[in-house]
Structure formats: structure tokens, C-alpha cells
PDB file of all heavy atoms in Angstrom:
ATOM      1  N   ASN A   1      25.715   8.945  56.808  1.00  0.00           N
ATOM      2  CA  ASN A   1      25.780   9.198  58.245  1.00  0.00           C
ATOM      3  C   ASN A   1      26.646   8.193  59.000  1.00  0.00           C
ATOM      4  O   ASN A   1      26.745   8.276  60.222  1.00  0.00           O
ATOM      5  CB  ASN A   1      24.366   9.172  58.839  1.00  0.00           C
ATOM      6  CG  ASN A   1      23.515  10.319  58.332  1.00  0.00           C
ATOM      7  OD1 ASN A   1      23.997  11.428  58.145  1.00  0.00           O
ATOM      8  ND2 ASN A   1      22.231  10.056  58.108  1.00  0.00           N
ATOM      9  N   SER A   2      27.257   7.256  58.299  1.00  0.00           N
ATOM     10  CA  SER A   2      28.072   6.242  58.965  1.00  0.00           C
ATOM     11  C   SER A   2      29.330   6.857  59.575  1.00  0.00           C
ATOM     12  O   SER A   2      30.028   7.649  58.930  1.00  0.00           O
ATOM     13  CB  SER A   2      28.452   5.149  57.958  1.00  0.00           C
ATOM     14  OG  SER A   2      29.277   4.178  58.571  1.00  0.00           O
ATOM     15  N   PHE A   3      29.631   6.476  60.795  1.00  0.00           N
ATOM     16  CA  PHE A   3      30.820   7.007  61.461  1.00  0.00           C
ATOM     17  C   PHE A   3      31.744   5.903  61.987  1.00  0.00           C
ATOM     18  O   PHE A   3      32.932   5.886  61.692  1.00  0.00           O
ATOM     19  CB  PHE A   3      30.416   7.907  62.631  1.00  0.00           C
ATOM     20  CG  PHE A   3      31.583   8.293  63.515  1.00  0.00           C
ATOM     21  CD1 PHE A   3      32.503   9.245  63.096  1.00  0.00           C
ATOM     22  CD2 PHE A   3      31.767   7.695  64.761  1.00  0.00           C
ATOM     23  CE1 PHE A   3      33.583   9.591  63.895  1.00  0.00           C
ATOM     24  CE2 PHE A   3      32.838   8.031  65.560  1.00  0.00           C
ATOM     25  CZ  PHE A   3      33.748   8.987  65.126  1.00  0.00           C
ATOM     26  N   LEU A   4      31.189   4.965  62.778  1.00  0.00           N
ATOM     27  CA  LEU A   4      32.036   3.988  63.468  1.00  0.00           C
ATOM     28  C   LEU A   4      32.835   3.129  62.493  1.00  0.00           C
ATOM     29  O   LEU A   4      34.047   2.940  62.671  1.00  0.00           O
ATOM     30  CB  LEU A   4      31.166   3.095  64.367  1.00  0.00           C
ATOM     31  CG  LEU A   4      31.929   2.039  65.172  1.00  0.00           C
ATOM     32  CD1 LEU A   4      32.939   2.699  66.104  1.00  0.00           C
ATOM     33  CD2 LEU A   4      30.959   1.159  65.964  1.00  0.00           C
ATOM     34  N   TRP A   5      32.171   2.590  61.467  1.00  0.00           N
ATOM     35  CA  TRP A   5      32.868   1.704  60.529  1.00  0.00           C
ATOM     36  C   TRP A   5      34.020   2.406  59.806  1.00  0.00           C
ATOM     37  O   TRP A   5      35.159   1.924  59.856  1.00  0.00           O
ATOM     38  CB  TRP A   5      31.865   1.113  59.545  1.00  0.00           C
ATOM     39  CG  TRP A   5      32.466   0.153  58.569  1.00  0.00           C
ATOM     40  CD1 TRP A   5      32.943   0.435  57.317  1.00  0.00           C
ATOM     41  CD2 TRP A   5      32.683  -1.254  58.755  1.00  0.00           C
ATOM     42  NE1 TRP A   5      33.429  -0.693  56.710  1.00  0.00           N
ATOM     43  CE2 TRP A   5      33.282  -1.749  57.579  1.00  0.00           C
ATOM     44  CE3 TRP A   5      32.415  -2.126  59.803  1.00  0.00           C
ATOM     45  CZ2 TRP A   5      33.613  -3.084  57.428  1.00  0.00           C
ATOM     46  CZ3 TRP A   5      32.755  -3.452  59.651  1.00  0.00           C
ATOM     47  CH2 TRP A   5      33.349  -3.927  58.477  1.00  0.00           C
ATOM     48  N   PRO A   6      33.795   3.531  59.128  1.00  0.00           N
ATOM     49  CA  PRO A   6      34.937   4.184  58.466  1.00  0.00           C
ATOM     50  C   PRO A   6      35.968   4.717  59.446  1.00  0.00           C
ATOM     51  O   PRO A   6      37.158   4.794  59.117  1.00  0.00           O
ATOM     52  CB  PRO A   6      34.279   5.315  57.667  1.00  0.00           C
ATOM     53  CG  PRO A   6      32.969   5.549  58.322  1.00  0.00           C
ATOM     54  CD  PRO A   6      32.532   4.220  58.840  1.00  0.00           C
ATOM     55  N   PHE A   7      35.551   5.075  60.653  1.00  0.00           N
ATOM     56  CA  PHE A   7      36.499   5.569  61.648  1.00  0.00           C
ATOM     57  C   PHE A   7      37.489   4.472  62.039  1.00  0.00           C
ATOM     58  O   PHE A   7      38.683   4.736  62.255  1.00  0.00           O
ATOM     59  CB  PHE A   7      35.743   6.061  62.885  1.00  0.00           C
ATOM     60  CG  PHE A   7      36.632   6.594  63.969  1.00  0.00           C
ATOM     61  CD1 PHE A   7      37.236   7.836  63.846  1.00  0.00           C
ATOM     62  CD2 PHE A   7      36.867   5.850  65.120  1.00  0.00           C
ATOM     63  CE1 PHE A   7      38.060   8.330  64.849  1.00  0.00           C
ATOM     64  CE2 PHE A   7      37.686   6.327  66.128  1.00  0.00           C
ATOM     65  CZ  PHE A   7      38.289   7.575  65.994  1.00  0.00           C
ATOM     66  N   LEU A   8      37.008   3.228  62.129  1.00  0.00           N
ATOM     67  CA  LEU A   8      37.868   2.108  62.508  1.00  0.00           C
ATOM     68  C   LEU A   8      38.668   1.557  61.337  1.00  0.00           C
ATOM     69  O   LEU A   8      39.785   1.075  61.511  1.00  0.00           O
ATOM     70  CB  LEU A   8      37.024   0.983  63.118  1.00  0.00           C
ATOM     71  CG  LEU A   8      36.319   1.286  64.439  1.00  0.00           C
ATOM     72  CD1 LEU A   8      35.435   0.115  64.847  1.00  0.00           C
ATOM     73  CD2 LEU A   8      37.318   1.601  65.541  1.00  0.00           C
ATOM     74  N   MET A   9      38.088   1.623  60.134  1.00  0.00           N
ATOM     75  CA  MET A   9      38.690   0.962  58.988  1.00  0.00           C
ATOM     76  C   MET A   9      39.576   1.878  58.139  1.00  0.00           C
ATOM     77  O   MET A   9      40.266   1.387  57.237  1.00  0.00           O
ATOM     78  CB  MET A   9      37.594   0.369  58.095  1.00  0.00           C
ATOM     79  CG  MET A   9      36.738  -0.679  58.779  1.00  0.00           C
ATOM     80  SD  MET A   9      37.695  -2.143  59.259  1.00  0.00           S
ATOM     81  CE  MET A   9      36.458  -3.067  60.182  1.00  0.00           C
ATOM     82  N   THR A  10      39.553   3.178  58.396  1.00  0.00           N
ATOM     83  CA  THR A  10      40.360   4.101  57.592  1.00  0.00           C
ATOM     84  C   THR A  10      41.205   4.977  58.508  1.00  0.00           C
ATOM     85  O   THR A  10      40.886   5.151  59.688  1.00  0.00           O
ATOM     86  CB  THR A  10      39.478   4.993  56.707  1.00  0.00           C
ATOM     87  OG1 THR A  10      38.626   5.801  57.534  1.00  0.00           O
ATOM     88  CG2 THR A  10      38.618   4.153  55.779  1.00  0.00           C
ATOM     89  N   SER A  11      42.265   5.534  57.936  1.00  0.00           N
ATOM     90  CA  SER A  11      43.158   6.383  58.727  1.00  0.00           C
ATOM     91  C   SER A  11      43.608   7.638  57.993  1.00  0.00           C
ATOM     92  O   SER A  11      44.185   8.529  58.617  1.00  0.00           O
ATOM     93  CB  SER A  11      44.391   5.581  59.156  1.00  0.00           C
ATOM     94  OG  SER A  11      45.079   5.068  58.016  1.00  0.00           O
ATOM     95  N   SER A  12      43.351   7.746  56.697  1.00  0.00           N
ATOM     96  CA  SER A  12      43.806   8.915  55.935  1.00  0.00           C
ATOM     97  C   SER A  12      42.618   9.685  55.372  1.00  0.00           C
ATOM     98  O   SER A  12      41.632   9.084  54.929  1.00  0.00           O
ATOM     99  CB  SER A  12      44.730   8.490  54.794  1.00  0.00           C
ATOM    100  OG  SER A  12      44.032   7.676  53.876  1.00  0.00           O
ATOM    101  N   PRO A  13      42.683  11.027  55.369  1.00  0.00           N
ATOM    102  CA  PRO A  13      41.590  11.835  54.827  1.00  0.00           C
ATOM    103  C   PRO A  13      41.329  11.589  53.347  1.00  0.00           C
ATOM    104  O   PRO A  13      40.262  11.930  52.839  1.00  0.00           O
ATOM    105  CB  PRO A  13      42.066  13.274  55.068  1.00  0.00           C
ATOM    106  CG  PRO A  13      43.072  13.174  56.160  1.00  0.00           C
ATOM    107  CD  PRO A  13      43.749  11.845  55.952  1.00  0.00           C
ATOM    108  N   GLY A  14      42.283  10.967  52.659  1.00  0.00           N
ATOM    109  CA  GLY A  14      42.110  10.724  51.237  1.00  0.00           C
ATOM    110  C   GLY A  14      40.971   9.790  50.908  1.00  0.00           C
ATOM    111  O   GLY A  14      40.439   9.820  49.789  1.00  0.00           O
ATOM    112  N   VAL A  15      40.552   8.955  51.871  1.00  0.00           N
ATOM    113  CA  VAL A  15      39.457   8.011  51.629  1.00  0.00           C
ATOM    114  C   VAL A  15      38.362   8.114  52.686  1.00  0.00           C
ATOM    115  O   VAL A  15      37.373   7.387  52.617  1.00  0.00           O
ATOM    116  CB  VAL A  15      39.974   6.556  51.583  1.00  0.00           C
ATOM    117  CG1 VAL A  15      40.930   6.361  50.418  1.00  0.00           C
ATOM    118  CG2 VAL A  15      40.642   6.174  52.905  1.00  0.00           C
ATOM    119  N   GLN A  16      38.516   9.001  53.661  1.00  0.00           N
ATOM    120  CA  GLN A  16      37.550   9.087  54.744  1.00  0.00           C
ATOM    121  C   GLN A  16      36.328   9.927  54.359  1.00  0.00           C
ATOM    122  O   GLN A  16      36.437  10.854  53.560  1.00  0.00           O
ATOM    123  CB  GLN A  16      38.199   9.678  56.001  1.00  0.00           C
ATOM    124  CG  GLN A  16      39.177   8.738  56.683  1.00  0.00           C
ATOM    125  CD  GLN A  16      39.862   9.377  57.866  1.00  0.00           C
ATOM    126  OE1 GLN A  16      40.003  10.594  57.940  1.00  0.00           O
ATOM    127  NE2 GLN A  16      40.296   8.549  58.815  1.00  0.00           N
ATOM    128  N   PRO A  17      35.145   9.638  54.955  1.00  0.00           N
ATOM    129  CA  PRO A  17      33.944  10.437  54.709  1.00  0.00           C
ATOM    130  C   PRO A  17      33.846  11.615  55.682  1.00  0.00           C
ATOM    131  O   PRO A  17      34.668  11.754  56.605  1.00  0.00           O
ATOM    132  CB  PRO A  17      32.811   9.427  54.954  1.00  0.00           C
ATOM    133  CG  PRO A  17      33.370   8.499  55.976  1.00  0.00           C
ATOM    134  CD  PRO A  17      34.845   8.406  55.708  1.00  0.00           C
ATOM    135  N   VAL A  18      32.817  12.430  55.505  1.00  0.00           N
ATOM    136  CA  VAL A  18      32.691  13.654  56.302  1.00  0.00           C
ATOM    137  C   VAL A  18      32.459  13.361  57.776  1.00  0.00           C
ATOM    138  O   VAL A  18      32.909  14.128  58.635  1.00  0.00           O
ATOM    139  CB  VAL A  18      31.538  14.533  55.766  1.00  0.00           C
ATOM    140  CG1 VAL A  18      31.888  15.121  54.426  1.00  0.00           C
ATOM    141  CG2 VAL A  18      30.235  13.756  55.696  1.00  0.00           C
ATOM    142  N   GLU A  19      31.749  12.291  58.101  1.00  0.00           N
ATOM    143  CA  GLU A  19      31.463  12.009  59.505  1.00  0.00           C
ATOM    144  C   GLU A  19      32.747  11.770  60.288  1.00  0.00           C
ATOM    145  O   GLU A  19      32.845  12.150  61.454  1.00  0.00           O
ATOM    146  CB  GLU A  19      30.539  10.797  59.619  1.00  0.00           C
ATOM    147  CG  GLU A  19      29.144  11.022  59.071  1.00  0.00           C
ATOM    148  CD  GLU A  19      28.385  12.097  59.814  1.00  0.00           C
ATOM    149  OE1 GLU A  19      28.581  12.221  61.039  1.00  0.00           O
ATOM    150  OE2 GLU A  19      27.608  12.825  59.182  1.00  0.00           O
ATOM    151  N   VAL A  20      33.730  11.148  59.666  1.00  0.00           N
ATOM    152  CA  VAL A  20      35.011  10.934  60.340  1.00  0.00           C
ATOM    153  C   VAL A  20      35.749  12.259  60.486  1.00  0.00           C
ATOM    154  O   VAL A  20      36.476  12.469  61.460  1.00  0.00           O
ATOM    155  CB  VAL A  20      35.860   9.909  59.570  1.00  0.00           C
ATOM    156  CG1 VAL A  20      37.214   9.721  60.232  1.00  0.00           C
ATOM    157  CG2 VAL A  20      35.129   8.578  59.502  1.00  0.00           C
ATOM    158  N   GLY A  21      35.563  13.158  59.530  1.00  0.00           N
ATOM    159  CA  GLY A  21      36.191  14.474  59.623  1.00  0.00           C
ATOM    160  C   GLY A  21      35.754  15.246  60.848  1.00  0.00           C
ATOM    161  O   GLY A  21      36.499  16.099  61.359  1.00  0.00           O
ATOM    162  N   LEU A  22      34.555  14.964  61.354  1.00  0.00           N
ATOM    163  CA  LEU A  22      34.069  15.657  62.551  1.00  0.00           C
ATOM    164  C   LEU A  22      34.899  15.315  63.776  1.00  0.00           C
ATOM    165  O   LEU A  22      34.902  16.055  64.759  1.00  0.00           O
ATOM    166  CB  LEU A  22      32.603  15.300  62.803  1.00  0.00           C
ATOM    167  CG  LEU A  22      31.602  15.746  61.724  1.00  0.00           C
ATOM    168  CD1 LEU A  22      30.215  15.237  62.065  1.00  0.00           C
ATOM    169  CD2 LEU A  22      31.595  17.259  61.583  1.00  0.00           C
ATOM    170  N   ALA A  23      35.594  14.183  63.736  1.00  0.00           N
ATOM    171  CA  ALA A  23      36.429  13.789  64.873  1.00  0.00           C
ATOM    172  C   ALA A  23      37.625  14.706  65.056  1.00  0.00           C
ATOM    173  O   ALA A  23      38.298  14.662  66.090  1.00  0.00           O
ATOM    174  CB  ALA A  23      36.903  12.347  64.697  1.00  0.00           C
ATOM    175  N   ALA A  24      37.901  15.561  64.069  1.00  0.00           N
ATOM    176  CA  ALA A  24      39.033  16.486  64.175  1.00  0.00           C
ATOM    177  C   ALA A  24      38.845  17.502  65.298  1.00  0.00           C
ATOM    178  O   ALA A  24      39.813  18.127  65.742  1.00  0.00           O
ATOM    179  CB  ALA A  24      39.233  17.215  62.842  1.00  0.00           C
TER     180      ALA A  24
END
């Protein structure tokens, strides 16, 4: 369920989790 940390630390879908994908 983590969102903020991977959202700030990653930029490519190749390593991002699903929660960051919701930002699309």
C-alpha cells in the first residue's frame, strides 16, 4: 500500500509499484 516513498524515489514503470500506477 506504499505510495509516497516509491512515488518520490522512482520515475519509470519498470520498477514502480501499483500504487504509483494509480497516479496515471
Side-chain angles (χ1 to χ4, degrees):
N1 294 323
S2 178
F3 170 75
L4 181 60
W5 182 267
F7 180 75
L8 295 175
M9 299 296 174
T10 62
S11 58
S12 63
V15 296
Q16 288 176 334
V18 290
E19 293 297 326
V20 178
L22 296 176

